[in-house]
Amino acid sequence: MQPNKRYPRIFIRSKNELAKHLASKKAGQVETLNLINDVILNYDKYWKDSKHSQPLKGKYVRNARGTPLGVLLNKINKLVLAPHDKMLPDFIFGGVAGRNHKKAGEHLLGAKRRRVLLKMDVRSFFEGIGGERIFYLFKNKFLCSPKASRLLANICSVPLGPKDNPSSRRSIGRGFATSSRLAVWSNLDIFIKLDWFVRKALKGRDPKISIYVDDIGITASRVSKKEMERISLAVSELLNSDHNQKLPLNPDKTKIISHEEGMEILGLRLNRNNLSIGPKTRKKLDKSKNVLKSKLSPNDRAAARAKHGALVRYKKSIEGANTLQIKKLS
């Protein structure tokens, strides 16, 4: 059977081959193999739940930084996954080299007027990608051996729920270096189906779609809100059509916004032909200006200046070079 050209052929067959794949001048194959064996033996010692977790939402951020597991995950991300970023479609952003949230916002800009934005959020995105999905990805899509696929799936996934009361099911670790890329690759087929659907359903309306991790944005011109509501329902049905690959949307975060109302996504304002910072960032910037005008101790003033400077630099990164030519994007 002809392998799917949509996916890279990684062909890792064993633990030794993985070590060879990850070896470098600083850490040779033997040292890397020792690292892998150490992680296998002491896996649970090398990660913890982060303070940024949201237990009430069932979202647990995992932290493996500064541990052998963290080192190994970084190597897998950098040397196994990242080299294939260029194979991903141009509408996928987040966790991919050179495709940040600004690029995602730019991708939604269009040449025609009367634009409308449909923005959606996938609920429990990382938690929904189980260990078996990652095993399937490495084995059936990346063409690794079953043994190597199981090893990689176990390294890149953790039990669901809090670490001190784990579930028997596993999912990719929210916060692990490998998770964003694995999430994209494991959902690539459904994302491409979504792109096909949007381009067909909104043909002639200058449709654009942008997927940034678990945030989905769709824009089109000369489309009513009612039409976009129908698109929204169809998208939700499509994302839940595959029994093994369901992506349920968060209905509270599904919004349809016209250009006149101020289209915002990923903390950015989508203007006619450029981007600007969103209202939350603008409020933070205004607040930091006011803080600098108040009486502060030397230490507090230095901290306030640093914070204000960071916000100014961020604003400039979004708006300063906003000379986009819509023709290039269309």
Side-chain angles (χ1 to χ4, degrees):
M1 184 176 68
Q2 180 72 18
N4 193 329
K5 294 180 181 179
R6 181 179 293 170
Y7 294 88
R9 304 176 192 182
I10 295 177
F11 287 134
I12 294 172
R13 298 291 173 181
S14 66
K15 185 167 59 175
N16 286 328
E17 276 194 26
L18 176 60
K20 186 177 181 180
H21 211 96
L22 302 179
S24 65
K25 290 182 179 179
K26 289 184 178 180
Q29 186 174 346
V30 173
E31 186 177 344
T32 304
L33 183 59
N34 289 337
L35 172 67
I36 295 169
N37 286 327
D38 180 22
V39 168
I40 293 171
L41 287 172
N42 301 290
Y43 190 87
D44 282 343
K45 295 179 182 178
Y46 292 152
W47 67 274
K48 60 184 179 181
D49 290 338
S50 167
K51 63 181 180 180
H52 299 296
S53 298
Q54 298 175 288
L56 294 178
K57 295 182 178 181
K59 295 180 180 180
Y60 291 90
V61 180
R62 320 300 189 168
N63 185 353
R65 291 176 186 172
T67 71
L69 173 59
V71 172
L72 184 56
L73 288 167
N74 283 330
K75 284 178 176 288
I76 293 170
N77 187 48
K78 181 180 178 181
L79 300 173
V80 175
L81 301 175
H84 308 292
D85 283 354
K86 290 182 180 179
M87 291 184 68
L88 290 167
D90 63 0
F91 61 86
I92 290 178
F93 303 85
V96 181
R99 303 192 196 182
N100 58 21
H101 76 300
K102 180 182 179 181
K103 295 287 185 182
E106 289 174 345
H107 198 74
L108 292 171
L109 299 176
K112 299 177 181 177
R113 296 180 183 274
R114 292 170 55 196
R115 209 146 182 83
V116 175
L117 165 69
L118 166 61
K119 66 176 183 177
M120 298 163 286
D121 173 86
V122 178
R123 185 166 48 201
S124 300
F125 183 54
F126 291 105
E127 289 76 15
I129 302 170
E132 289 304 309
R133 283 268 300 281
I134 302 308
F135 169 76
Y136 178 87
L137 173 68
F138 278 107
K139 178 178 175 289
N140 293 63
K141 302 296 188 178
F142 293 162
L143 304 182
C144 297
S145 73
K147 190 173 182 179
S149 298
R150 180 61 64 195
L151 172 63
L152 285 159
N154 287 342
I155 290 170
C156 298
S157 66
V158 295
L160 283 165
K163 185 174 182 179
D164 58 5
N165 186 24
S167 166
S168 59
R169 292 183 59 240
R170 298 174 73 89
S171 73
I172 55 175
R174 183 183 286 268
F176 278 4
T178 51
S179 291
S180 290
R181 284 190 170 91
L182 288 177
V184 166
W185 283 111
S186 62
N187 287 294
L188 182 60
D189 289 347
I190 195 71
F191 287 159
I192 288 176
K193 284 182 183 178
L194 177 58
D195 176 58
W196 287 344
F197 166 76
V198 168
R199 285 191 285 116
K200 183 178 179 181
L202 294 168
K203 187 176 181 180
R205 311 291 183 91
D206 192 27
K208 307 284 183 179
I209 180 171
S210 174
I211 299 175
Y212 184 88
V213 190
D214 56 354
D215 288 292
I216 300 173
I218 297 170
T219 58
S221 295
R222 304 188 309 278
V223 179
S224 70
K225 283 193 171 185
K226 283 192 175 181
E227 286 178 282
M228 273 301 203
E229 283 177 12
R230 288 194 289 270
I231 295 292
S232 175
L233 292 172
V235 167
S236 180
E237 184 177 339
L238 173 65
L239 293 179
N240 286 283
S241 61
D242 189 330
H243 176 70
N244 297 314
Q245 205 172 7
K246 290 185 182 296
L247 293 175
L249 296 174
N250 185 339
D252 295 333
K253 293 187 177 181
T254 297
K255 307 289 182 185
I256 299 173
I257 312 165
S258 68
H259 177 76
E260 292 75 17
E261 294 170 314
M263 300 188 301
E264 295 166 20
I265 191 170
L266 302 172
L268 303 173
R269 175 68 68 90
L270 307 183
N271 302 315
R272 172 73 180 90
N273 58 4
N274 57 37
L275 302 175
S276 57
I277 58 173
K280 287 185 179 179
T281 305
R282 201 169 294 281
K283 284 181 181 178
K284 288 181 182 179
L285 193 56
D286 291 340
K287 185 178 178 179
S288 71
K289 285 179 184 177
N290 292 330
V291 168
L292 284 173
K293 292 176 182 177
S294 62
K295 291 183 179 181
L296 298 169
S297 68
N299 287 341
D300 288 344
R301 183 165 294 280
R305 279 179 176 168
K307 185 176 181 179
H308 181 71
L311 287 167
V312 169
R313 287 191 295 275
Y314 174 72
K315 181 177 184 293
K316 193 171 184 179
S317 73
I318 299 299
E319 301 176 1
N322 252 329
T323 56
L324 288 174
Q325 297 296 319
I326 290 297
K327 289 180 180 179
K328 294 181 180 179
L329 296 172
S330 302

